[in-house]
Amino acid sequence: MKEGRTVEIVGKIKERTAHIGVIGLGYVGLPLVIRFCEETFRVTGFDIDDRKVKKLNKGVSYIKHIPPEKLREIKRKKLFRATTDYSQLKKMDCIIICVPTPLRKNKEPDLSYVENTSREIAGHLRKGQLVSLESTTYPGTTREVLLPKFEKKGYRVGEDFFLVFSPEREDPGNRRYHTGNIPKVVGGITPRCTEAGKHLYEQIITKVITVASPEVAEFTKLLENIFRSVNIALVNELKILADRMGIDIWEVISASSTKPFGFMPFYPGPGLGGHCIPIDPFYLSWKAKEFDFNTRFIELAGEINTGMPDYVVNRIIDGLNKKGKCLKNAKVLILGVAYKKDTDDSRESPGLEIISLLKDKGARVDYNDPFIPSFSGMRHYPGLSMESVRLTTVSLRKYDCAVIITDHSQYDYTWIVRNSKLVVDTRNAARNIKSNKIIKA
Ligand SMILES: NC(=O)c1ccc[n+]([C@@H]2O[C@H](COP(=O)([O-])OP(=O)(O)OC[C@H]3O[C@@H](n4cnc5c(N)ncnc54)[C@H](O)[C@@H]3O)[C@@H](O)[C@H]2O)c1
């Protein structure tokens, strides 16, 4: 009987009769839903946001890179339904958790979404179910936060139910790598849990890598993001030095990249953005304290990266100063508030911090972003509410300075430089244009 439940869940997965529940229908959850449906699984999506649920059930996408046709297709085939009703959880064979894991103001992990979700799952848990946590978090979360809630029912892990951690590696907007071909790491509480998790993900992903425990899988994801954060901080710091030395850091990186081994290019920018890199490393710093350990690289990288918006503002001030203008009352146009090129995601975007700093100093700021028509009430800037302005030759000419924060592909940089008085470029987007109006930042 003990092994019987593993055989049963693996059998259902392989036959694709397993009913999949995905909790949290955002940037991570929604692509997963689609991928499972593409492989003919029936999927129920759970979200607390009623508006999202209604939209999805009408086949409407609220994420730019997820085409509505995909949603309409899985709806037409009756493979997917979204709901806010957690009682449906007991019908699921496999439950995948993709809820947010933000930081609190003091940079401590906010696990409230994971806690609430696991409480709901525990309330509806039945024998034979497989639960996978995908939200990025510190090593120990699956075992210390989820497992006790599920065991409270008197069920035994690896026998009555299965529990794994499998980090998400979504890269929104990446045309080469998508949910189906990004290798996936899985670590279960017991070997049977790992086995069940491996079978689940093998149905939708080309390569699944199993590791010894959920802790290894949790740490793996953090290492990947800390690696990026530290290396981005390194080039951000060197950019400031190179600038003082009159050297173009972008040319240096490009030259270093010709080395066929032992070098990997990272690029400077206006600061970190998005849901992962600015946040996840601090999950490990927090946990490290329990082991009386200070994660110095993480702290230093965080300090450098969060200082970049100030650096950009100082470069804007320098540029205006050279033209005999001060920042107060200057008209500044921000180009791009998405944290990443060609996406519609402005979470933790350095663009918002730069707008806020410029406004504090009395500048008159507008923004344009082809993917973000408006924003308001963001977590860190509750008073900030703006609408994207239209870009025309006439409108561009009214600004004292245009600042390239996001290098969206659809911007015509030659046209922007030609019609602007001053361009501060944080992404080397205007690299092919020769003009003394451009300042790199
Ligand atoms: N966005 C990425 O590229 C990315 C990549 C890798 C890992 N991650 C990680 O994946 C997790 C989810 O990130 P995301 O970008 O998809 O977030 P998101 O904000 O886009 O989506 C999360 C969804 O969860 C819903 N939600 C919140 N609480 C809920 C609850 N109790 N029950 C049901 N639904 C609930 C929200 O309404 C939202 O729709 C985070 O831990 C993040 O760090 C994100």
Side-chain angles (χ1 to χ4, degrees), residues 22-31 46-49 52 62-63 83 86 97-102 112-118 120 134-137 167-172 221 225 274-276 279-280 283 339-340 345 347:
V22 175
I23 308 184
L25 301 171
Y27 283 83
V28 168
L30 210 43
F46 298 81
D47 206 291
I48 43 169
D49 187 338
K52 282 188 184 171
Y62 43 80
I63 296 178
T83 182
Y86 271 117
I97 309 170
C98 311
V99 296
T101 42
S112 59
Y113 300 89
V114 171
E115 299 236 18
N116 291 342
T117 308
S118 42
E120 292 288 350
E134 294 213 6
S135 304
T136 310
T137 183
E168 180 51 55
R169 285 170 161 166
E170 192 65 23
D171 184 18
K221 172 72 187 178
N225 285 352
H275 196 292
C276 298
I279 293 171
D280 303 345
Y283 267 67
Y339 82 87
K340 190 175 176 188
D345 191 348
R347 289 177 295 176

Side-chain angles (χ1 to χ4, degrees), residues 40-156:
T40 70
F41 282 93
R42 273 175 313 143
V43 182
T44 300
F46 298 81
D47 206 291
I48 43 169
D49 187 338
D50 191 41
R51 286 167 310 169
K52 282 188 184 171
V53 166
K54 282 193 179 128
K55 275 191 182 170
L56 289 174
N57 282 335
K58 282 188 198 147
V60 177
S61 173
Y62 43 80
I63 296 178
K64 189 188 128 306
H65 62 276
I66 295 183
E69 305 84 65
K70 286 257 180 209
L71 289 171
R72 285 200 289 271
E73 189 187 326
I74 60 178
K75 193 178 163 252
R76 190 168 33 82
K77 290 184 176 163
K78 294 195 172 21
L79 289 170
F80 173 66
R81 225 191 117 248
T83 182
T84 53
D85 175 11
Y86 271 117
S87 72
Q88 302 291 315
L89 277 175
K90 54 179 160 313
K91 295 186 192 157
M92 304 300 121
D93 297 298
C94 306
I95 299 170
I96 304 178
I97 309 170
C98 311
V99 296
T101 42
L103 288 175
R104 296 190 194 280
K105 270 199 179 139
N106 54 4
K107 286 207 171 1
E108 286 190 358
D110 176 0
L111 272 192
S112 59
Y113 300 89
V114 171
E115 299 236 18
N116 291 342
T117 308
S118 42
R119 230 173 273 125
E120 292 288 350
I121 297 173
H124 298 98
L125 195 70
R126 64 163 170 80
K127 289 191 176 176
Q129 283 181 321
L130 162 64
V131 180
S132 173
L133 175 63
E134 294 213 6
S135 304
T136 310
T137 183
Y138 58 79
T141 309
T142 311
R143 196 182 300 275
E144 293 159 16
V145 179
L146 275 71
L147 184 61
K149 291 189 179 59
F150 300 165
E151 280 181 328
K152 249 190 190 165
K153 282 201 117 165
Y155 291 171
R156 270 171 305 184

